[in-house]
Amino acid sequence: MSTNQPPLEAAAPAGGGSTPDPRQLRAILITVSVALMAVIASVSGLNVAQTHMAVEFGASQTTVLWIINVYTLALAALLLPLGALGDRLGRKPMLITGLIVFGTAGVVAGLAPSAGVMIAARVAAGISAAMIMPITLAVITSTFPEEERGKAIGVWTGVAGGGGILGMFLSALLVDVADWRRLFVLPVVLVVIALAMTLKSVPNSRERSAHPFDAIGALVSTIAVIGLVFVLQEGPERGWTAPITLISLAVGVVAAITFVAWELHRRDASLLDVRLFRERGLASGSITLLVVFGVQAGIAVVLFPFFQAVLGWSGLLSTVAMMPMAVMMMMTSGLAPKMAATIGTRSTMAVGVVLATLGLALMALFMSVDGGYLSILAGMLAMGIGMGLSMTPSTEVITSSLPRDKQGVASALNDVTREFGTALGVAVLGALLANGYRSTIDSRLDGIPTGVANTAREGIANAIEVAPQAGSHAQDLIHAAQQSFVDGWRQAMWIGAVVMAVLLVHVALRGAKNTAPLQPAPYTPSACGRSTHEPPTRPDRTVIGLPPEREQTR
């Protein structure tokens, strides 16, 4: 690919500058997967402890939501800048520093005496998570040889996609059998393991650039992400037309436009070369991840109320019910590289999107109150398979679209896209479900006292809580709320299916080109001091649409 980048020099990896052997590669993959799992588990883990925190800290629901959301906000805002710094300062030192800070923040959060201390600890955890997450993928893309890289990215993608559900299950288990503060034990233990393995197994790599760090781009990108993610997180709670929501949206949009203009001005010295989005690989991979993660997060939002309010299950059992989808996602993420090598990258992404769309349609068609869990199981399995097949090739085309000295940025871009997709999916599908519920329950509230009916309109959980006040109509109110929830679900699922269908058309027409599997080439020492663990320049760099004559040897 044409990168128009200055010559770079990578620091030699630990261990003498030779290509890592298979045993070391396995150790590296396990290390970064454990570190990633700690970060992902902390995103959703505290959701199961909202009531406990509110009671112990005497905190409002808004404060509790801030304890949960400020972690994601800090993580998303700093991914790009810290990913770029990791490329320059050294990926191993950045990973080690992030793990130490993250573990310390987890200990402080577990012992926090007040909501204020908890929020501060979560901010520190989010910042350190932004140091860890992009580096885990950058270590893979800069260390693994070409013929092994796809499999490693598949494992990473599986952990990133299914790790949240697995982390929520373990968190719910800890809350049920122990104390909510034990939620922080799991991430801290994972961090300690990852830190020990990092010191032993992960080689260091660092890229030298002739250009100074793009501090202005880093600052503007941080403001843009904070503004836009804040809107998606707080809009449903505060109202989409609330002044703070509109101000945050304006700040985010203006900062995003400014970031693009500034990066175009900086060109080769930019934090992120936005010109690369004109190429199929980077654009299609980013759009696919945005939509797929948005749908996944939105489904989680509607599944848990279904399990708990409609089926009457506990938080732990509800999380267990999500596991089949997570398991299928993690399994097929590992199989996706083999499928891509056989039928091509774009075809694999398309098959994944088709199956994910089918899963949404199955849930919309067959979900019912009487059918219970079995009425949605087939759709969940199809969704899990489809997401696994589409996420891995999407991640690979993103990382392969940027040069080696920008792998921290490429990984961060991949992660930012996931975080935006998650926030967008929760906001949009959650709003669609809520609107669908309210629009259908009104016709089912005949005979219900006015005050009780008004409370029931706020949501299914409110309806079930207030049902005893409806007297002889209590069971009718519960049934009406459950059926209205299912109707709202169907509307949200059908809209999600339409969005996925549009994505399928985009992938088919503008997706990454189908690339043939590469034959591994022998490694040779570099004449300019590059480490020999780096694979030779890819012969298929024209996959992103640039002619061969613009290729540059880096």
Side-chain angles (χ1 to χ4, degrees), residues 463-539:
I464 292 176
E465 184 178 359
V466 80
Q469 301 178 27
S472 60
H473 295 286
Q475 197 57 43
D476 294 335
L477 176 58
I478 292 175
H479 179 74
Q482 291 174 337
Q483 191 57 53
S484 298
F485 180 88
V486 170
D487 292 343
W489 166 298
R490 287 175 176 153
Q491 293 180 26
M493 292 300 99
W494 280 124
I495 293 175
V498 170
V499 173
M500 292 296 287
V502 173
L503 174 63
L504 176 62
V505 173
H506 171 78
V507 170
L509 298 179
R510 294 293 303 168
K513 291 183 179 179
N514 281 326
T515 53
L518 297 173
Q519 297 298 322
Y523 293 106
T524 56
S526 171
C528 63
R530 292 170 66 181
S531 67
T532 56
H533 81 282
E534 182 187 354
T537 302
R538 292 180 60 177

Side-chain angles (χ1 to χ4, degrees), residues 8-20 24-25 28 31-32 82-97 131 135-136 138-144 197-208 404 407-408 529-534:
L8 59 95
E9 180 180 349
S18 60
T19 305
Q24 186 181 3
L25 289 177
I28 293 170
T31 301
V32 297
L82 294 180
L85 282 175
D87 286 334
R88 289 169 174 261
L89 301 179
R91 296 177 181 118
K92 182 172 183 176
M94 181 66 80
L95 181 57
I96 290 172
T97 303
M131 301 170 71
I135 297 302
T136 57
V139 166
I140 291 175
T141 57
S142 63
T143 304
F144 277 71
M197 295 186 69
T198 298
L199 293 170
K200 179 181 179 181
S201 304
V202 175
N204 188 27
S205 59
R206 179 167 65 90
E207 315 302 339
R208 296 183 175 90
R404 187 187 186 282
Q407 282 306 294
R530 292 170 66 181
S531 67
T532 56
H533 81 282
E534 182 187 354

